[in-house]
Amino acid sequence: MTADISTPSRALDTDSTLPADAAAPASVTFADLGLPATILRAVTDLGFTIPSAIQEKAIPALVSGRDITGVAQTGTGKTAAFGLPMLAALDPSLRRVQALVLTPTRELAMQVAEAIETFAAHVDGLQVVAVYGGSPYQPQQRALRAGAQVVVGTPGRVMDHLERGSLVLDDIRYLVLDEADEMLRMGFAEDVEKIFGQAPTKRQVALFSATMPPQIRRVAAQHLNDPVEIAVTRQSSTVTSVRQTYAVVPFRHKTGALARILATSDADAAIVFTRTRGAAEEVGSALVERGVSAATISGDVAQKDREKIVERLRSGALDVLVATDVAARGLDVDRIGLVVNFDLPGEPEAYVHRIGRTGRAGRTGEAMSFVTPQERGRLRSIERTIRATLEEVEIPSPADVSAHKVRSLLTQVAARQEAGRLSMYQGLVREYVTEHGIDPIELAAALAALAVGDDGPRAREEQERFEAEREQARAARRTADVRGPRREGDRPERSRGVRRDAAGTRYRLSVGHTHGAQPGGIVGALTNEAGLNGSDVGKIDIFPSFSLVDILAPLDADAMDRISRARVAGKPLRIKLDEGAPVSRARTARPTGDRPRGAHGPAGRHDERRTERREWAPRDGAERKPRHRTA
């Protein structure tokens, strides 16, 4: 039995302690919230009728023109809470920017933009553009010149467009700060102030934050007009019928690992989650190339095509669906027995929604998450939220895949024998055994290998490569475990040569504390321009005229170039590999009282590293927070 996608008990990212699709019926529906027919139609197309708690409270207030402050985390439905009334307030015929949504990270900017595009499916002429670092300016500038009415972006890139004149805020009617506390923590306070200063004073503002510390309250008091205050609890429970596992998988091995997971799963159907629509399309295409019956849905897929894909999944004509969080909203298919988090979600609450797609209708399900070596902190955050520990498992090897296929083949033997009509094949087999003198068991094994595509040498090479890569990964983890986390008092290494170890690769930036550089600003620039996650940024040492930062993820030439051009405290970062402080010749070739001059003198780099630094460093399992100390 399958449930219809438009079942009228769906809640749009409910804040209940149950999965979104298990929400109890409520008296208030989206039809009661005062939304225009075109917006309500898009919500209905997604299969939702019951608003979550924050939507029920925020949408009427925003539709009536009030400012709001919302204490809510991702996973409570806040994107729809501000996105739906935003669309109701805009004029699609006016080809000017009328709404601006600020987010702390590029990933969230892409997700929010995709969600708003989905909500605007029936609003003719409305365009949404996402602007963020790490992406070329020209396509963003063209979209702005073409008359996009909604801009979703990170503060740094929004400021860049304002300074270039490609973004004008004169017609802004609606301004949103999403995850305001995270934005200020990352050092965007000054940019946010400037953006508010360039927007018209007569505008509607929605501010959302996971917490409401004094700094956020000051922003609200300064920039919001008599706001309605809303607070909701977050979803934190997962279904008990789902076995939750994870595997540590380097990014470059994810696609192969996914193919082997799917090949060894007994689930009727699977859904694979990615963070962005681009990743969804790439993963879907890679699976199809490997012979997997897969399809992709994202914000770019028309509703009619989406319905066809979902119907194919229900009927069994399709086995794997690759989707983003937004595109999978409202999806209700009983066949789904496996959920794979190809990318860990940006927020723990989104994890709860994802795995709620399996283990339905009294069935059991499995949820597998791929965790890169740098994402262990994000995994711990998910475990704290769901109050459970995920089981670590090994990714199946190529040999495991072949063995699984043969076992599946053997389970069909009895039924095929009962079906009869085997005499022709028996005669051929007897003839072959007599002619070649081969053992029947060996012949059966060879036929089984051929049936599952194991040709011998190539399969052996693939298995050996897999085992070598797995041993390398285990060795790297053992090394990291032996070294352990760095203690607060650890001083930066001063040996020459590029540093590459468990703490990452050390880079030098051309900004220091005399320029006004702060750890949060550096982290914000790195995550926005290079597409890094916060967990990819390790220890930061800030000296008077430069800074050193450990980056755990690899950086290619393009990423280095984008970071170099990014500005912190008004100064370009100009990133390069750190080669350590040069050894002063004063210590080896000069008498004790003879002080060197020039680059290595009292104001030189060597002495500067010894006088002052400001650090950003992780503690065991704790959230990364900037701290300052004098060496």
Side-chain angles (χ1 to χ4, degrees), residues 150-170:
V150 181
V151 173
V152 184
T154 53
R157 182 53 66 94
V158 167
M159 281 300 303
D160 289 339
H161 281 292
L162 289 173
E163 292 170 356
R164 292 169 180 239
S166 50
L167 175 60
V168 179
L169 304 183
D170 295 347

Side-chain angles (χ1 to χ4, degrees), residues 24 101 140 146 151 215 221 236 243 251 291 294 427 441 478 553 581 604 619 626:
V101 182
Q140 297 175 7
V151 173
Q215 189 178 12
S236 60
R243 180 191 178 210
F251 181 81
I441 297 296
R478 286 195 297 269
R619 297 174 182 173

Side-chain angles (χ1 to χ4, degrees), residues 137-217:
Y137 280 97
Q138 287 73 22
Q140 297 175 7
Q141 290 173 324
R142 285 196 296 270
L144 292 169
R145 283 197 300 268
Q149 293 94 345
V150 181
V151 173
V152 184
T154 53
R157 182 53 66 94
V158 167
M159 281 300 303
D160 289 339
H161 281 292
L162 289 173
E163 292 170 356
R164 292 169 180 239
S166 50
L167 175 60
V168 179
L169 304 183
D170 295 347
D171 296 285
I172 286 290
R173 305 179 182 185
Y174 208 98
L175 191 56
V176 179
L177 288 185
D178 196 6
E179 297 193 5
D181 51 350
E182 183 71 7
M183 226 177 304
L184 300 187
R185 188 187 70 80
M186 292 175 65
F188 290 129
E190 184 178 349
D191 289 341
V192 170
E193 288 290 336
K194 290 180 180 178
I195 291 167
F196 266 105
Q198 295 198 34
T201 55
K202 188 177 180 181
R203 76 276 169 129
Q204 192 173 2
V205 181
L207 183 152
F208 288 89
S209 184
T211 59
M212 197 60 67
Q215 189 178 12
I216 302 296
R217 294 195 176 277

Side-chain angles (χ1 to χ4, degrees), residues 302-592:
Q303 179 63 20
K304 185 178 296 185
D305 295 332
R306 181 183 188 275
E307 291 173 356
K308 291 180 180 177
I309 292 172
V310 173
E311 186 53 41
R312 290 175 59 207
L313 188 65
R314 284 202 184 102
S315 67
L318 186 68
D319 293 329
V320 180
L321 184 66
V322 186
T324 58
D325 292 294
V326 171
R329 284 174 176 162
L331 183 67
D332 189 353
V333 178
D334 290 343
R335 288 186 65 234
I336 296 174
L338 171 67
V339 169
V340 179
N341 291 310
F342 188 88
D343 299 318
L344 281 182
E347 293 292 336
E349 292 78 10
Y351 173 86
V352 179
H353 287 282
R354 288 182 176 187
I355 73 167
R357 301 298 166 202
T358 187
R360 296 167 179 258
R363 302 183 181 188
T364 59
E366 184 168 355
M368 159 67 78
S369 298
F370 289 170
V371 181
T372 66
Q374 294 79 30
E375 290 179 324
R376 290 184 174 275
R378 183 173 293 178
L379 174 65
R380 286 194 293 271
S381 178
I382 289 173
E383 291 177 330
R384 287 194 299 270
T385 298
I386 66 175
R387 302 183 184 95
T389 301
L390 274 63
E391 174 189 353
E392 183 174 6
V393 297
E394 292 280 359
I395 293 295
S397 69
D400 294 330
V401 173
S402 297
H404 183 273
K405 290 180 179 179
V406 171
R407 290 191 191 99
S408 299
L409 197 63
L410 292 174
T411 61
Q412 304 172 44
V413 169
R416 183 64 188 90
Q417 282 179 312
E418 289 182 10
R421 201 177 175 275
L422 295 175
S423 57
M424 177 183 68
Y425 304 105
Q426 291 170 347
L428 291 171
V429 169
R430 286 194 190 98
E431 181 182 331
Y432 189 91
V433 169
T434 302
E435 182 179 345
H436 294 84
I438 188 172
D439 180 79
I441 297 296
E442 187 175 349
L443 174 59
L447 291 173
L450 289 171
V452 300
D454 183 348
D455 63 355
R458 182 175 56 82
R460 185 183 305 110
E461 180 183 341
E462 191 175 318
Q463 177 69 18
E464 290 173 351
R465 182 168 61 250
F466 170 84
E467 291 175 353
E469 290 171 351
R470 182 164 60 183
E471 185 53 39
Q472 289 174 2
R474 287 173 175 171
R477 291 178 62 182
R478 286 195 297 269
T479 301
D481 291 341
V482 169
R483 291 177 177 175
R486 297 175 68 183
R487 298 184 301 274
E488 287 189 26
D490 286 350
R491 302 176 69 88
E493 287 189 8
R494 293 186 170 84
S495 59
R496 287 188 63 81
V498 177
R499 169 182 172 169
R500 288 184 177 89
D501 57 19
T505 302
R506 174 154 288 192
Y507 294 90
R508 178 186 172 102
L509 309 175
S510 297
V511 294
H513 75 81
T514 57
H515 309 116
Q518 296 289 335
I522 291 175
V523 173
L526 293 173
T527 55
N528 281 300
E529 294 300 332
L532 301 173
N533 295 317
S535 58
D536 295 328
V537 182
K539 188 176 181 182
I540 296 176
D541 298 318
I542 300 181
F543 299 94
S545 63
F546 69 95
S547 300
L548 301 177
V549 56
D550 292 337
I551 299 178
L552 282 67
L555 296 180
D556 57 23
D558 289 340
M560 294 276 284
D561 181 60
R562 291 194 300 270
I563 294 173
S564 291
R565 289 186 278 109
R567 292 178 175 270
V568 169
K571 184 176 174 62
L573 291 181
R574 294 176 184 166
I575 189 172
K576 63 180 181 180
L577 289 169
D578 178 56
E579 296 182 351
V583 178
S584 174
R585 286 175 294 181
R587 297 189 176 185
T588 57
R590 294 177 183 270
T592 303

